């Protein structure tokens, strides 16, 4: 029932077939996908197709807390 899909993109997520399936399902169900990169990683081709039009948010360099605080703004706007 969620309207927003938060993709936390790391090297492990980028290589995960399960993450690719989840992103594909979210896109096919019309969910808004917010890619949040926690490392400087270029999305795999399979992910790039679904997130190329989205504005990526970068959550690096550390610390993570300020980046997550910033994320609440876009999420709140999308919720309303």
């Amino acid at each position: 029932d969620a309207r927003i899909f938060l993709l936390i993109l790391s090297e492990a997520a980028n290589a995960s077939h399960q993450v690719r399936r989840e992103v594909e399902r979210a896109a096919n169900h019309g969910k808004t996908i917010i890619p949040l990169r926690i490392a400087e990683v270029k999305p795999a081709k399979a992910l790039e197709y679904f997130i190329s039009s989205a504005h990526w948010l970068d959550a690096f360099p550390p610390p993570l807390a300020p980046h997550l605080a910033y994320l609440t703004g876009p999420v709140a706007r999308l919720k309303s």
Side-chain angles (χ1 to χ4, degrees), residues 9-16 38-41:
L9 189 58
S10 65
E11 289 182 24
N14 204 32
S16 170
I38 60 171
E40 195 166 352
V41 59

Side-chain angles (χ1 to χ4, degrees), residues 22-75:
E22 290 175 2
V23 170
E24 180 181 5
R25 291 193 46 82
N28 288 336
H29 285 92
K31 308 300 181 187
T32 298
I33 300 173
I34 300 176
L36 177 69
R37 295 189 317 159
I38 60 171
E40 195 166 352
V41 59
K42 182 179 177 189
K45 294 282 186 201
L47 290 176
E48 189 176 28
Y49 175 78
F50 294 105
I51 65 172
S52 63
S53 64
H55 178 74
W56 304 352
L57 300 175
D58 289 337
F60 56 89
L64 183 60
H67 302 290
L68 295 179
Y70 175 80
L71 175 66
T72 61
V75 170

Side-chain angles (χ1 to χ4, degrees), residues 3-4 72-80:
R3 295 187 314 209
I4 300 168
T72 61
V75 170
R77 284 190 296 278
L78 289 168
K79 279 179 47 179
S80 48

